[in-house]
DNA sequence: GTCTATACGTGGATAGAC
DNA sequence: GTCTATCCACGTATAGAC
């Protein structure tokens, strides 16, 4: 049941998936879905929140040394997305793009619970942590978009090792490289005085 | 009319936008839309193909020296997306995520007409050109996702200069840096013989 | 508890009056 | 040419029989 919902949300996004379709895919009656979950929103939350617990995988990422964090993050992302977490991840992304409240869900999950926590171990100021975290997120989401959403070659079929070797160093630069703080706001054109 | 369609597709994606909504936003009758464009598909094509001519902007990107190509690409992307091309871009992305034929549209437009042509000037083999192009695309799409779709701070409000400084070098590495060719296929586990 | 029937809204698309 | 009226399919959600 939840598996069918996850699959449907992953393939068509929140707005595109239908309760009727999910119910028939699961071999049950559409009315049962409402009986169990109450609404489409709650069904989505139940389908997506189950397999997305960062506490289970973050320690493995952080176990890498400071200079291997980038490669470690890419490796974890690939092993999750090429494992059982892909439907939930696709459901989140496909839904977030056209639906405001799922976008908020993804944004907060991603920034606060995942990337922020990884960058948070590096001892930066809050501003720099958020800036570096957003840069890391941009590369990782881009990888997900190309490999799993748009399915553009050769990245869609590339091996984990080759992607880690190609992308890991770039993520590493965002994490620990020297870079001017990506100004949170416009570099004030003319200071107050 | 086309502007209203672009805006609607940009905000809600292909599936989410409605002909009725576009028509009322444009102050015309819904039936007129069908009369002029024939179908929703053709309306979408007309709305996004207009302002998406790569031939107009690519020369400016390529005018940069080989070592400034990364920064130049990021600069052009930002100036397009913070300019009049944003609605068309958002319409393409929002639609491509949940709609197969628009996904194909975006994939081919992006890989063949944009990134591929930039990397194509660098004199790599076809395989390496495609691999580097896909890596570049992953970073650029990720930037678009974070800044314009998810609107995550601080990237959403960051200045062009700071983003070019932060992301340009990473794109540059994908373009001209030393990296093993991201293997187009799985590194053959056991060759034919 | 499970499902049939249905209310109620909203799509895209079309026919035909003016 | 423009728009009213309408067809038909499909969405969420609910009421109520069994």
């Amino acid at each position: 049941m939840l598996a069918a919902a996850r699959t449907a949300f992953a393939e068509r996004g929140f707005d595109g998936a239908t309760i009727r379709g999910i119910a028939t895919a699961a071999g049950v009656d559409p009315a049962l879905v409402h009986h169990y979950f109450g609404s489409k929103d709650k069904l989505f939350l139940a389908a997506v929140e189950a397999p997305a617990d960062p506490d289970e995988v973050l320690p493995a990422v952080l176990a890498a040394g400071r200079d291997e964090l980038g490669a470690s993050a890419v490796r974890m992302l690939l092993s999750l997305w090429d494992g059982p977490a892909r439907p939930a991840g696709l459901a989140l992304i496909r839904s977030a793009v056209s639906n405001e409240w799922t976008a908020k869900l993804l944004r907060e999950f991603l920034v606060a619970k995942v990337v922020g926590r990884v960058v948070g171990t590096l001892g930066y100021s809050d501003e720099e942590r958020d800036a570096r975290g957003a840069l890391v997120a941009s590369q990782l989401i881009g990888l997900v978009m190309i490999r799993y959403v748009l399915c553009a070659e050769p990245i869609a079929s590339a091996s984990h090792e080759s992607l880690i070797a190609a992308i890991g160093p770039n993520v590493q630069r965002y994490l620990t490289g020297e870079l001017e703080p990506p100004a949170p706001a416009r570099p004030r054109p003319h200071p107050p005085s």
Side-chain angles (χ1 to χ4, degrees), chain A:
Chain A
M1 174 72 240
L2 278 181
R6 239 189 316 269
T7 306
F9 286 130
E11 287 173 351
R12 313 161 80 92
F14 180 82
D15 296 329
T18 69
I19 294 191
R20 282 162 142 88
I22 292 169
T24 58
V28 302
D29 190 274
L32 260 185
V33 181
H34 284 100
H35 222 83
Y36 279 136
F37 297 96
S39 76
K40 198 181 178 184
D41 293 22
K42 292 180 192 160
L43 171 62
F44 180 81
L45 282 180
V48 141
E49 274 190 343
D53 189 0
D55 295 318
E56 306 223 347
V57 303
L58 277 186
V61 177
L62 297 173
R66 182 186 174 96
D67 293 341
E68 280 81 31
L69 254 190
S72 177
V74 176
R75 178 178 297 112
M76 178 57 70
L77 181 138
L78 289 172
S79 80
L80 281 176
W81 276 78
D82 284 322
R86 191 193 306 188
L90 274 176
L92 269 175
I93 295 242
R94 285 225 156 90
S95 303
V97 165
S98 293
N99 191 286
E100 190 47 43
W101 80 268
T102 51
K104 185 173 180 181
L105 202 71
L106 174 61
R107 185 169 50 233
E108 290 174 355
F109 172 74
L110 197 73
V111 174
K113 301 271 171 59
V114 183
V115 181
R117 229 187 276 181
V118 173
V119 190
T121 66
L122 296 175
Y124 295 117
S125 69
D126 285 2
E127 293 79 21
E128 187 163 2
R129 180 201 60 197
D130 292 344
R132 289 181 183 267
L135 289 170
V136 171
S138 80
Q139 174 62 86
L140 296 185
I141 282 214
L143 170 58
V144 166
M145 287 290 296
I146 294 289
R147 182 175 170 96
Y148 301 103
V149 177
L150 293 181
C151 302
E153 298 295 352
I155 284 186
S157 310
S159 70
H160 287 199
E161 301 80 41
S162 64
L163 288 174
I164 293 167
I167 298 176
N170 278 24
V171 175
Q172 186 68 42
R173 174 171 172 272
Y174 290 150
L175 287 170
T176 62
E178 57 210 31
L179 42 84
E180 314 156 19
R186 206 139 298 169
R188 24 183 157 152
H190 32 63
S193 158

